[in-house]
Amino acid sequence: MSAYELFRSAGVTKQLYDKFLAPMLLVTLFAPPTELSAAAALGALYYFALAHQPDFDVRWGRGPIGKLIFEPLVAQLKKLDVAILGSRRVETILPLQDSPSNNLHRSTTAYNSQSSRFSSNQLPGVVVVQGPNNKIETYQADAVIVAAGIPALQHLVVKSPVLAAAEDFRSLMGVSCSDVLAVRLWLEQKLQFRTPSNVVAGFDDGVGGTFFQLDGLQVLYYSVKLLLADDWGCSLGSCTPDHLLQNSC
Protein backbone atom coordinates (compact mmCIF):
# COMPACT_ATOMS: atom_id res chain seq x y z
CA MET A 1 0.00 0.00 0.00
CA SER A 2 1.30 3.41 -0.92
CA ALA A 3 1.28 6.36 1.47
CA TYR A 4 -1.24 8.12 -0.76
CA GLU A 5 -3.62 5.15 -0.59
CA LEU A 6 -3.25 5.04 3.19
CA PHE A 7 -4.08 8.72 3.58
CA ARG A 8 -7.06 8.44 1.25
CA SER A 9 -8.48 5.40 3.05
CA ALA A 10 -7.98 7.13 6.41
CA GLY A 11 -10.08 10.09 5.28
CA VAL A 12 -7.28 12.66 5.31
CA THR A 13 -8.53 16.01 4.04
CA LYS A 14 -7.10 17.55 0.90
CA GLN A 15 -5.87 20.57 2.84
CA LEU A 16 -3.97 18.41 5.36
CA TYR A 17 -2.50 16.38 2.53
CA ASP A 18 -1.46 19.37 0.42
CA LYS A 19 -0.25 21.61 3.25
CA PHE A 20 1.50 19.12 5.53
CA LEU A 21 1.75 15.43 4.59
CA ALA A 22 2.92 15.74 0.98
CA PRO A 23 5.46 18.54 1.65
CA MET A 24 6.80 16.81 4.76
CA LEU A 25 7.41 13.54 2.92
CA LEU A 26 8.96 15.37 -0.02
CA VAL A 27 11.64 16.90 2.19
CA THR A 28 12.26 13.86 4.41
CA LEU A 29 12.15 10.95 1.95
CA PHE A 30 12.59 12.98 -1.27
CA ALA A 31 9.55 11.48 -3.00
CA PRO A 32 5.81 12.22 -3.21
CA PRO A 33 3.38 10.02 -1.22
CA THR A 34 2.28 8.25 -4.40
CA GLU A 35 5.79 6.74 -4.71
CA LEU A 36 6.29 5.86 -1.03
CA SER A 37 5.09 2.85 0.90
CA ALA A 38 2.72 3.46 3.79
CA ALA A 39 5.25 1.97 6.23
CA ALA A 40 8.06 4.28 5.07
CA ALA A 41 5.80 7.33 5.26
CA LEU A 42 4.57 6.54 8.77
CA GLY A 43 8.13 5.92 9.94
CA ALA A 44 9.34 9.24 8.55
CA LEU A 45 6.38 11.18 9.97
CA TYR A 46 6.94 9.70 13.41
CA TYR A 47 10.70 10.27 13.44
CA PHE A 48 10.82 13.77 11.97
CA ALA A 49 7.45 15.28 12.93
CA LEU A 50 6.81 13.72 16.33
CA ALA A 51 10.00 12.40 17.89
CA HIS A 52 12.64 14.85 16.66
CA GLN A 53 10.87 17.96 15.40
CA PRO A 54 13.03 20.44 17.40
CA ASP A 55 16.31 18.68 16.57
CA PHE A 56 18.80 19.84 13.94
CA ASP A 57 20.77 17.01 12.35
CA VAL A 58 23.31 19.06 10.37
CA ARG A 59 26.73 19.81 11.77
CA TRP A 60 28.96 22.40 10.14
CA GLY A 61 32.72 22.07 9.84
CA ARG A 62 35.11 24.58 11.41
CA GLY A 63 36.30 25.68 7.98
CA PRO A 64 36.13 24.77 4.26
CA ILE A 65 35.40 21.06 3.83
CA GLY A 66 37.89 20.86 0.96
CA LYS A 67 40.74 22.00 3.18
CA LEU A 68 39.67 20.09 6.27
CA ILE A 69 38.85 16.74 4.71
CA PHE A 70 39.67 16.32 1.04
CA GLU A 71 43.07 17.99 0.84
CA PRO A 72 44.49 15.91 3.74
CA LEU A 73 42.96 12.79 2.20
CA VAL A 74 44.54 13.52 -1.19
CA ALA A 75 47.91 14.21 0.46
CA GLN A 76 47.77 10.93 2.37
CA LEU A 77 46.86 8.97 -0.76
CA LYS A 78 49.72 10.54 -2.69
CA LYS A 79 52.12 9.43 0.05
CA LEU A 80 50.98 5.90 -0.76
CA ASP A 81 51.85 6.47 -4.46
CA VAL A 82 48.19 6.79 -5.47
CA ALA A 83 47.68 8.79 -8.68
CA ILE A 84 44.53 10.93 -8.64
CA LEU A 85 43.22 11.92 -12.06
CA GLY A 86 40.60 14.64 -12.02
CA SER A 87 38.58 16.36 -14.75
CA ARG A 88 37.72 13.04 -16.35
CA ARG A 89 34.36 11.44 -17.10
CA VAL A 90 33.96 7.68 -17.32
CA GLU A 91 32.33 6.80 -20.63
CA THR A 92 32.23 3.01 -20.49
CA ILE A 93 33.74 0.01 -18.73
CA LEU A 94 34.86 -2.95 -20.81
CA PRO A 95 35.97 -6.50 -20.03
CA LEU A 96 39.66 -6.85 -19.31
CA GLN A 97 40.44 -8.67 -22.54
CA ASP A 98 38.80 -5.99 -24.71
CA SER A 99 40.14 -2.61 -25.79
CA PRO A 100 38.15 0.19 -27.40
CA SER A 101 38.72 1.51 -30.88
CA ASN A 102 39.93 5.04 -31.55
CA ASN A 103 36.35 6.12 -32.12
CA LEU A 104 34.53 5.94 -28.78
CA HIS A 105 31.05 6.18 -30.26
CA ARG A 106 31.62 3.38 -32.77
CA SER A 107 33.23 1.23 -30.10
CA THR A 108 30.37 1.71 -27.63
CA THR A 109 27.78 0.98 -30.31
CA ALA A 110 29.56 -2.23 -31.24
CA TYR A 111 29.65 -3.46 -27.67
CA ASN A 112 25.99 -2.58 -27.11
CA SER A 113 24.93 -4.53 -30.19
CA GLN A 114 26.85 -7.61 -29.01
CA SER A 115 25.91 -7.46 -25.34
CA SER A 116 24.50 -10.99 -25.41
CA ARG A 117 27.98 -12.47 -25.99
CA PHE A 118 29.20 -11.34 -22.56
CA SER A 119 28.96 -14.11 -20.00
CA SER A 120 28.26 -13.47 -16.33
CA ASN A 121 31.81 -14.48 -15.30
CA GLN A 122 33.51 -11.72 -17.31
CA LEU A 123 35.01 -9.06 -15.09
CA PRO A 124 35.40 -5.37 -15.89
CA GLY A 125 39.00 -4.39 -16.40
CA VAL A 126 39.26 -1.54 -18.92
CA VAL A 127 37.97 1.93 -18.01
CA VAL A 128 37.40 4.34 -20.87
CA VAL A 129 37.27 8.01 -19.88
CA GLN A 130 36.96 11.35 -21.60
CA GLY A 131 39.78 13.51 -20.37
CA PRO A 132 40.85 17.12 -20.84
CA ASN A 133 40.25 18.54 -24.32
CA ASN A 134 37.81 15.65 -25.01
CA LYS A 135 40.73 13.25 -25.32
CA ILE A 136 39.79 9.57 -24.94
CA GLU A 137 41.94 7.69 -22.42
CA THR A 138 41.90 4.01 -21.42
CA TYR A 139 43.12 2.44 -18.20
CA GLN A 140 43.50 -1.26 -17.47
CA ALA A 141 42.84 -2.31 -13.91
CA ASP A 142 42.90 -5.41 -11.76
CA ALA A 143 39.74 -4.16 -10.03
CA VAL A 144 37.20 -1.43 -10.74
CA ILE A 145 35.35 0.28 -7.89
CA VAL A 146 32.17 1.98 -9.06
CA ALA A 147 31.29 4.79 -6.65
CA ALA A 148 28.66 7.10 -8.12
CA GLY A 149 25.08 8.23 -7.72
CA ILE A 150 22.13 6.38 -9.20
CA PRO A 151 21.71 8.50 -12.40
CA ALA A 152 25.44 8.22 -13.21
CA LEU A 153 25.40 4.47 -12.54
CA GLN A 154 22.37 3.95 -14.76
CA HIS A 155 24.07 5.87 -17.56
CA LEU A 156 27.20 3.77 -17.12
CA VAL A 157 25.32 0.46 -17.11
CA VAL A 158 23.60 1.37 -20.40
CA LYS A 159 26.98 2.01 -22.03
CA SER A 160 28.81 -0.92 -20.37
CA PRO A 161 27.49 -4.39 -21.29
CA VAL A 162 29.96 -6.01 -18.92
CA LEU A 163 28.14 -4.27 -16.07
CA ALA A 164 24.70 -4.94 -17.53
CA ALA A 165 25.56 -8.67 -17.51
CA ALA A 166 25.57 -8.58 -13.71
CA GLU A 167 22.14 -8.80 -12.04
CA ASP A 168 23.03 -6.31 -9.30
CA PHE A 169 23.86 -3.63 -11.86
CA ARG A 170 20.83 -4.43 -14.04
CA SER A 171 18.55 -3.98 -11.05
CA LEU A 172 19.78 -0.39 -10.74
CA MET A 173 17.87 0.50 -13.88
CA GLY A 174 14.61 0.18 -11.97
CA VAL A 175 15.66 2.43 -9.09
CA SER A 176 14.07 5.86 -9.01
CA CYS A 177 15.86 8.73 -7.36
CA SER A 178 15.66 12.44 -6.74
CA ASP A 179 18.20 15.18 -7.25
CA VAL A 180 19.04 16.96 -4.00
CA LEU A 181 20.71 20.36 -3.89
CA ALA A 182 22.00 22.20 -0.81
CA VAL A 183 22.65 25.95 -0.92
CA ARG A 184 23.95 28.23 1.84
CA LEU A 185 22.88 31.88 1.50
CA TRP A 186 24.11 35.05 3.19
CA LEU A 187 21.38 37.72 3.16
CA GLU A 188 22.00 41.46 3.17
CA GLN A 189 19.80 41.99 6.20
CA LYS A 190 18.57 39.88 9.07
CA LEU A 191 15.07 38.47 8.65
CA GLN A 192 12.75 37.32 11.39
CA PHE A 193 11.21 33.84 11.09
CA ARG A 194 8.71 32.18 13.37
CA THR A 195 10.86 29.03 13.57
CA PRO A 196 14.49 28.37 12.54
CA SER A 197 13.56 25.09 10.81
CA ASN A 198 11.04 25.26 7.98
CA VAL A 199 9.56 23.13 5.21
CA VAL A 200 9.05 24.81 1.83
CA ALA A 201 6.82 23.28 -0.84
CA GLY A 202 3.90 24.00 -3.11
CA PHE A 203 5.73 25.95 -5.81
CA ASP A 204 6.03 22.97 -8.15
CA ASP A 205 4.62 19.43 -8.22
CA GLY A 206 6.98 16.89 -6.69
CA VAL A 207 9.45 19.51 -5.45
CA GLY A 208 10.09 20.42 -1.84
CA GLY A 209 12.83 21.51 0.49
CA THR A 210 13.87 22.62 3.95
CA PHE A 211 14.96 26.10 4.97
CA PHE A 212 17.13 26.46 8.07
CA GLN A 213 17.85 29.84 9.63
CA LEU A 214 21.38 29.01 10.72
CA ASP A 215 21.99 32.03 12.91
CA GLY A 216 18.78 31.24 14.79
CA LEU A 217 19.89 27.65 15.34
CA GLN A 218 23.31 28.82 16.48
CA VAL A 219 21.71 31.11 19.04
CA LEU A 220 19.80 28.13 20.42
CA TYR A 221 23.06 26.20 20.79
CA TYR A 222 24.74 29.29 22.23
CA SER A 223 22.19 29.63 25.03
CA VAL A 224 22.74 26.01 26.05
CA LYS A 225 26.52 25.99 25.73
CA LEU A 226 26.90 29.09 27.89
CA LEU A 227 26.15 26.82 30.80
CA LEU A 228 29.36 24.93 30.00
CA ALA A 229 31.48 27.96 29.11
CA ASP A 230 33.99 27.39 31.89
CA ASP A 231 34.88 23.98 30.44
CA TRP A 232 36.05 25.72 27.24
CA GLY A 233 38.23 28.30 28.98
CA CYS A 234 36.18 31.44 28.35
CA SER A 235 34.11 33.76 30.49
CA LEU A 236 30.43 34.35 29.93
CA GLY A 237 31.22 37.80 28.53
CA SER A 238 33.74 36.61 25.96
CA CYS A 239 32.10 33.32 24.98
CA THR A 240 30.43 34.28 21.70
CA PRO A 241 28.55 31.97 19.31
CA ASP A 242 31.52 32.07 16.90
CA HIS A 243 33.88 31.14 19.74
CA LEU A 244 31.68 28.23 20.73
CA LEU A 245 31.26 26.99 17.17
CA GLN A 246 35.01 27.12 16.55
CA ASN A 247 35.86 25.24 19.72
CA SER A 248 33.10 22.74 20.06
CA CYS A 249 31.55 21.90 16.68
Side-chain angles (χ1 to χ4, degrees), residues 13-37:
T13 64
K14 185 177 186 303
Q15 183 177 11
L16 177 60
Y17 178 85
D18 291 339
K19 298 295 184 181
F20 174 71
L21 292 173
M24 185 58 119
L25 293 174
L26 270 176
V27 302
T28 54
L29 297 180
F30 306 108
T34 53
E35 299 178 12
L36 296 171
S37 70

PDB file of all heavy atoms in Angstrom, residues 13-37:
ATOM      1  N   THR A  13      -7.996  14.928   4.865  1.00  0.00           N
ATOM      2  CA  THR A  13      -8.532  16.010   4.037  1.00  0.00           C
ATOM      3  C   THR A  13      -7.495  16.469   3.012  1.00  0.00           C
ATOM      4  O   THR A  13      -6.284  16.292   3.203  1.00  0.00           O
ATOM      5  CB  THR A  13      -8.931  17.211   4.901  1.00  0.00           C
ATOM      6  OG1 THR A  13      -7.752  17.758   5.525  1.00  0.00           O
ATOM      7  CG2 THR A  13      -9.934  16.795   5.966  1.00  0.00           C
ATOM      8  N   LYS A  14      -7.990  17.060   1.948  1.00  0.00           N
ATOM      9  CA  LYS A  14      -7.098  17.553   0.897  1.00  0.00           C
ATOM     10  C   LYS A  14      -6.178  18.644   1.427  1.00  0.00           C
ATOM     11  O   LYS A  14      -4.993  18.712   1.065  1.00  0.00           O
ATOM     12  CB  LYS A  14      -7.910  18.086  -0.280  1.00  0.00           C
ATOM     13  CG  LYS A  14      -7.068  18.520  -1.470  1.00  0.00           C
ATOM     14  CD  LYS A  14      -7.934  18.969  -2.623  1.00  0.00           C
ATOM     15  CE  LYS A  14      -7.104  19.263  -3.875  1.00  0.00           C
ATOM     16  NZ  LYS A  14      -6.050  20.282  -3.628  1.00  0.00           N
ATOM     17  N   GLN A  15      -6.690  19.488   2.307  1.00  0.00           N
ATOM     18  CA  GLN A  15      -5.869  20.568   2.845  1.00  0.00           C
ATOM     19  C   GLN A  15      -4.728  20.020   3.697  1.00  0.00           C
ATOM     20  O   GLN A  15      -3.591  20.466   3.588  1.00  0.00           O
ATOM     21  CB  GLN A  15      -6.727  21.523   3.674  1.00  0.00           C
ATOM     22  CG  GLN A  15      -5.944  22.722   4.200  1.00  0.00           C
ATOM     23  CD  GLN A  15      -6.824  23.695   4.971  1.00  0.00           C
ATOM     24  OE1 GLN A  15      -7.966  23.378   5.294  1.00  0.00           O
ATOM     25  NE2 GLN A  15      -6.299  24.865   5.265  1.00  0.00           N
ATOM     26  N   LEU A  16      -5.018  19.023   4.540  1.00  0.00           N
ATOM     27  CA  LEU A  16      -3.967  18.415   5.360  1.00  0.00           C
ATOM     28  C   LEU A  16      -2.934  17.718   4.487  1.00  0.00           C
ATOM     29  O   LEU A  16      -1.731  17.805   4.745  1.00  0.00           O
ATOM     30  CB  LEU A  16      -4.591  17.414   6.342  1.00  0.00           C
ATOM     31  CG  LEU A  16      -3.604  16.646   7.231  1.00  0.00           C
ATOM     32  CD1 LEU A  16      -2.799  17.599   8.097  1.00  0.00           C
ATOM     33  CD2 LEU A  16      -4.341  15.618   8.084  1.00  0.00           C
ATOM     34  N   TYR A  17      -3.416  17.071   3.437  1.00  0.00           N
ATOM     35  CA  TYR A  17      -2.501  16.376   2.532  1.00  0.00           C
ATOM     36  C   TYR A  17      -1.616  17.369   1.794  1.00  0.00           C
ATOM     37  O   TYR A  17      -0.389  17.203   1.731  1.00  0.00           O
ATOM     38  CB  TYR A  17      -3.303  15.534   1.535  1.00  0.00           C
ATOM     39  CG  TYR A  17      -2.453  14.806   0.525  1.00  0.00           C
ATOM     40  CD1 TYR A  17      -1.899  13.562   0.820  1.00  0.00           C
ATOM     41  CD2 TYR A  17      -2.203  15.355  -0.737  1.00  0.00           C
ATOM     42  CE1 TYR A  17      -1.117  12.889  -0.103  1.00  0.00           C
ATOM     43  CE2 TYR A  17      -1.424  14.696  -1.667  1.00  0.00           C
ATOM     44  CZ  TYR A  17      -0.884  13.453  -1.342  1.00  0.00           C
ATOM     45  OH  TYR A  17      -0.098  12.802  -2.264  1.00  0.00           O
ATOM     46  N   ASP A  18      -2.215  18.416   1.231  1.00  0.00           N
ATOM     47  CA  ASP A  18      -1.456  19.369   0.416  1.00  0.00           C
ATOM     48  C   ASP A  18      -0.545  20.257   1.255  1.00  0.00           C
ATOM     49  O   ASP A  18       0.565  20.600   0.821  1.00  0.00           O
ATOM     50  CB  ASP A  18      -2.419  20.249  -0.396  1.00  0.00           C
ATOM     51  CG  ASP A  18      -3.138  19.470  -1.478  1.00  0.00           C
ATOM     52  OD1 ASP A  18      -2.629  18.400  -1.869  1.00  0.00           O
ATOM     53  OD2 ASP A  18      -4.206  19.933  -1.927  1.00  0.00           O
ATOM     54  N   LYS A  19      -1.002  20.637   2.448  1.00  0.00           N
ATOM     55  CA  LYS A  19      -0.254  21.606   3.251  1.00  0.00           C
ATOM     56  C   LYS A  19       0.766  20.975   4.186  1.00  0.00           C
ATOM     57  O   LYS A  19       1.732  21.642   4.586  1.00  0.00           O
ATOM     58  CB  LYS A  19      -1.230  22.462   4.073  1.00  0.00           C
ATOM     59  CG  LYS A  19      -2.201  23.284   3.242  1.00  0.00           C
ATOM     60  CD  LYS A  19      -1.469  24.328   2.414  1.00  0.00           C
ATOM     61  CE  LYS A  19      -2.449  25.220   1.657  1.00  0.00           C
ATOM     62  NZ  LYS A  19      -1.746  26.228   0.820  1.00  0.00           N
ATOM     63  N   PHE A  20       0.572  19.714   4.547  1.00  0.00           N
ATOM     64  CA  PHE A  20       1.496  19.119   5.526  1.00  0.00           C
ATOM     65  C   PHE A  20       2.087  17.786   5.080  1.00  0.00           C
ATOM     66  O   PHE A  20       3.303  17.646   4.984  1.00  0.00           O
ATOM     67  CB  PHE A  20       0.790  18.937   6.867  1.00  0.00           C
ATOM     68  CG  PHE A  20       1.644  18.204   7.878  1.00  0.00           C
ATOM     69  CD1 PHE A  20       2.756  18.814   8.446  1.00  0.00           C
ATOM     70  CD2 PHE A  20       1.346  16.902   8.240  1.00  0.00           C
ATOM     71  CE1 PHE A  20       3.562  18.138   9.360  1.00  0.00           C
ATOM     72  CE2 PHE A  20       2.140  16.217   9.153  1.00  0.00           C
ATOM     73  CZ  PHE A  20       3.246  16.843   9.715  1.00  0.00           C
ATOM     74  N   LEU A  21       1.242  16.792   4.814  1.00  0.00           N
ATOM     75  CA  LEU A  21       1.746  15.434   4.586  1.00  0.00           C
ATOM     76  C   LEU A  21       2.623  15.345   3.343  1.00  0.00           C
ATOM     77  O   LEU A  21       3.750  14.835   3.406  1.00  0.00           O
ATOM     78  CB  LEU A  21       0.568  14.465   4.479  1.00  0.00           C
ATOM     79  CG  LEU A  21      -0.220  14.262   5.773  1.00  0.00           C
ATOM     80  CD1 LEU A  21      -1.462  13.417   5.525  1.00  0.00           C
ATOM     81  CD2 LEU A  21       0.660  13.614   6.839  1.00  0.00           C
ATOM     82  N   ALA A  22       2.134  15.832   2.214  1.00  0.00           N
ATOM     83  CA  ALA A  22       2.923  15.740   0.976  1.00  0.00           C
ATOM     84  C   ALA A  22       4.219  16.539   1.068  1.00  0.00           C
ATOM     85  O   ALA A  22       5.290  16.016   0.738  1.00  0.00           O
ATOM     86  CB  ALA A  22       2.084  16.198  -0.218  1.00  0.00           C
ATOM     87  N   PRO A  23       4.198  17.811   1.523  1.00  0.00           N
ATOM     88  CA  PRO A  23       5.465  18.542   1.648  1.00  0.00           C
ATOM     89  C   PRO A  23       6.434  17.896   2.629  1.00  0.00           C
ATOM     90  O   PRO A  23       7.634  17.839   2.378  1.00  0.00           O
ATOM     91  CB  PRO A  23       5.023  19.925   2.126  1.00  0.00           C
ATOM     92  CG  PRO A  23       3.609  20.056   1.691  1.00  0.00           C
ATOM     93  CD  PRO A  23       3.038  18.687   1.790  1.00  0.00           C
ATOM     94  N   MET A  24       5.931  17.403   3.765  1.00  0.00           N
ATOM     95  CA  MET A  24       6.799  16.808   4.761  1.00  0.00           C
ATOM     96  C   MET A  24       7.504  15.558   4.225  1.00  0.00           C
ATOM     97  O   MET A  24       8.699  15.345   4.454  1.00  0.00           O
ATOM     98  CB  MET A  24       5.995  16.451   6.007  1.00  0.00           C
ATOM     99  CG  MET A  24       6.837  15.936   7.142  1.00  0.00           C
ATOM    100  SD  MET A  24       8.086  17.129   7.633  1.00  0.00           S
ATOM    101  CE  MET A  24       7.634  17.433   9.294  1.00  0.00           C
ATOM    102  N   LEU A  25       6.796  14.739   3.486  1.00  0.00           N
ATOM    103  CA  LEU A  25       7.411  13.540   2.920  1.00  0.00           C
ATOM    104  C   LEU A  25       8.363  13.882   1.780  1.00  0.00           C
ATOM    105  O   LEU A  25       9.360  13.196   1.566  1.00  0.00           O
ATOM    106  CB  LEU A  25       6.325  12.578   2.443  1.00  0.00           C
ATOM    107  CG  LEU A  25       5.476  11.968   3.572  1.00  0.00           C
ATOM    108  CD1 LEU A  25       4.336  11.146   3.008  1.00  0.00           C
ATOM    109  CD2 LEU A  25       6.345  11.118   4.491  1.00  0.00           C
ATOM    110  N   LEU A  26       8.058  14.942   1.047  1.00  0.00           N
ATOM    111  CA  LEU A  26       8.962  15.371  -0.022  1.00  0.00           C
ATOM    112  C   LEU A  26      10.333  15.742   0.522  1.00  0.00           C
ATOM    113  O   LEU A  26      11.361  15.437  -0.080  1.00  0.00           O
ATOM    114  CB  LEU A  26       8.361  16.566  -0.771  1.00  0.00           C
ATOM    115  CG  LEU A  26       7.470  16.271  -1.972  1.00  0.00           C
ATOM    116  CD1 LEU A  26       6.901  17.570  -2.517  1.00  0.00           C
ATOM    117  CD2 LEU A  26       8.233  15.533  -3.057  1.00  0.00           C
ATOM    118  N   VAL A  27      10.366  16.402   1.672  1.00  0.00           N
ATOM    119  CA  VAL A  27      11.638  16.899   2.187  1.00  0.00           C
ATOM    120  C   VAL A  27      12.313  15.923   3.134  1.00  0.00           C
ATOM    121  O   VAL A  27      13.466  16.123   3.504  1.00  0.00           O
ATOM    122  CB  VAL A  27      11.448  18.253   2.894  1.00  0.00           C
ATOM    123  CG1 VAL A  27      10.850  19.272   1.939  1.00  0.00           C
ATOM    124  CG2 VAL A  27      10.586  18.117   4.140  1.00  0.00           C
ATOM    125  N   THR A  28      11.629  14.861   3.545  1.00  0.00           N
ATOM    126  CA  THR A  28      12.263  13.864   4.406  1.00  0.00           C
ATOM    127  C   THR A  28      12.685  12.623   3.630  1.00  0.00           C
ATOM    128  O   THR A  28      13.779  12.097   3.846  1.00  0.00           O
ATOM    129  CB  THR A  28      11.321  13.466   5.549  1.00  0.00           C
ATOM    130  OG1 THR A  28      10.058  13.047   5.018  1.00  0.00           O
ATOM    131  CG2 THR A  28      11.101  14.632   6.503  1.00  0.00           C
ATOM    132  N   LEU A  29      11.835  12.152   2.731  1.00  0.00           N
ATOM    133  CA  LEU A  29      12.153  10.951   1.949  1.00  0.00           C
ATOM    134  C   LEU A  29      12.371  11.253   0.467  1.00  0.00           C
ATOM    135  O   LEU A  29      12.625  10.343  -0.317  1.00  0.00           O
ATOM    136  CB  LEU A  29      11.026   9.916   2.097  1.00  0.00           C
ATOM    137  CG  LEU A  29      10.810   9.399   3.525  1.00  0.00           C
ATOM    138  CD1 LEU A  29       9.667   8.393   3.553  1.00  0.00           C
ATOM    139  CD2 LEU A  29      12.086   8.766   4.070  1.00  0.00           C
ATOM    140  N   PHE A  30      12.279  12.528   0.085  1.00  0.00           N
ATOM    141  CA  PHE A  30      12.585  12.983  -1.272  1.00  0.00           C
ATOM    142  C   PHE A  30      11.740  12.291  -2.337  1.00  0.00           C
ATOM    143  O   PHE A  30      12.226  11.955  -3.413  1.00  0.00           O
ATOM    144  CB  PHE A  30      14.076  12.794  -1.582  1.00  0.00           C
ATOM    145  CG  PHE A  30      14.979  13.437  -0.580  1.00  0.00           C
ATOM    146  CD1 PHE A  30      15.710  12.684   0.315  1.00  0.00           C
ATOM    147  CD2 PHE A  30      15.096  14.815  -0.525  1.00  0.00           C
ATOM    148  CE1 PHE A  30      16.533  13.286   1.248  1.00  0.00           C
ATOM    149  CE2 PHE A  30      15.914  15.427   0.408  1.00  0.00           C
ATOM    150  CZ  PHE A  30      16.638  14.665   1.304  1.00  0.00           C
ATOM    151  N   ALA A  31      10.474  12.082  -2.028  1.00  0.00           N
ATOM    152  CA  ALA A  31       9.554  11.482  -2.996  1.00  0.00           C
ATOM    153  C   ALA A  31       8.133  11.825  -2.584  1.00  0.00           C
ATOM    154  O   ALA A  31       7.849  11.990  -1.392  1.00  0.00           O
ATOM    155  CB  ALA A  31       9.738   9.964  -3.067  1.00  0.00           C
ATOM    156  N   PRO A  32       7.217  11.935  -3.543  1.00  0.00           N
ATOM    157  CA  PRO A  32       5.813  12.217  -3.210  1.00  0.00           C
ATOM    158  C   PRO A  32       5.153  10.989  -2.593  1.00  0.00           C
ATOM    159  O   PRO A  32       5.636   9.853  -2.773  1.00  0.00           O
ATOM    160  CB  PRO A  32       5.199  12.574  -4.567  1.00  0.00           C
ATOM    161  CG  PRO A  32       6.058  11.864  -5.565  1.00  0.00           C
ATOM    162  CD  PRO A  32       7.443  11.883  -4.994  1.00  0.00           C
ATOM    163  N   PRO A  33       4.050  11.147  -1.867  1.00  0.00           N
ATOM    164  CA  PRO A  33       3.378  10.017  -1.219  1.00  0.00           C
ATOM    165  C   PRO A  33       2.946   8.922  -2.186  1.00  0.00           C
ATOM    166  O   PRO A  33       2.835   7.761  -1.783  1.00  0.00           O
ATOM    167  CB  PRO A  33       2.162  10.670  -0.547  1.00  0.00           C
ATOM    168  CG  PRO A  33       2.589  12.079  -0.309  1.00  0.00           C
ATOM    169  CD  PRO A  33       3.447  12.436  -1.486  1.00  0.00           C
ATOM    170  N   THR A  34       2.690   9.273  -3.430  1.00  0.00           N
ATOM    171  CA  THR A  34       2.278   8.251  -4.401  1.00  0.00           C
ATOM    172  C   THR A  34       3.391   7.259  -4.700  1.00  0.00           C
ATOM    173  O   THR A  34       3.130   6.159  -5.178  1.00  0.00           O
ATOM    174  CB  THR A  34       1.837   8.925  -5.711  1.00  0.00           C
ATOM    175  OG1 THR A  34       2.873   9.810  -6.157  1.00  0.00           O
ATOM    176  CG2 THR A  34       0.543   9.704  -5.507  1.00  0.00           C
ATOM    177  N   GLU A  35       4.650   7.618  -4.420  1.00  0.00           N
ATOM    178  CA  GLU A  35       5.789   6.744  -4.710  1.00  0.00           C
ATOM    179  C   GLU A  35       6.401   6.130  -3.451  1.00  0.00           C
ATOM    180  O   GLU A  35       7.408   5.452  -3.524  1.00  0.00           O
ATOM    181  CB  GLU A  35       6.870   7.531  -5.467  1.00  0.00           C
ATOM    182  CG  GLU A  35       6.405   8.072  -6.807  1.00  0.00           C
ATOM    183  CD  GLU A  35       7.476   8.876  -7.509  1.00  0.00           C
ATOM    184  OE1 GLU A  35       8.642   8.810  -7.065  1.00  0.00           O
ATOM    185  OE2 GLU A  35       7.159   9.574  -8.483  1.00  0.00           O
ATOM    186  N   LEU A  36       5.768   6.372  -2.302  1.00  0.00           N
ATOM    187  CA  LEU A  36       6.292   5.862  -1.034  1.00  0.00           C
ATOM    188  C   LEU A  36       5.352   4.809  -0.466  1.00  0.00           C
ATOM    189  O   LEU A  36       4.133   4.890  -0.614  1.00  0.00           O
ATOM    190  CB  LEU A  36       6.431   6.997  -0.024  1.00  0.00           C
ATOM    191  CG  LEU A  36       7.434   8.099  -0.361  1.00  0.00           C
ATOM    192  CD1 LEU A  36       7.291   9.247   0.628  1.00  0.00           C
ATOM    193  CD2 LEU A  36       8.859   7.560  -0.349  1.00  0.00           C
ATOM    194  N   SER A  37       5.927   3.835   0.219  1.00  0.00           N
ATOM    195  CA  SER A  37       5.093   2.854   0.901  1.00  0.00           C
ATOM    196  C   SER A  37       4.486   3.485   2.144  1.00  0.00           C
ATOM    197  O   SER A  37       5.020   4.448   2.704  1.00  0.00           O
ATOM    198  CB  SER A  37       5.923   1.633   1.294  1.00  0.00           C
ATOM    199  OG  SER A  37       6.839   1.961   2.333  1.00  0.00           O
TER     200      SER A  37
END
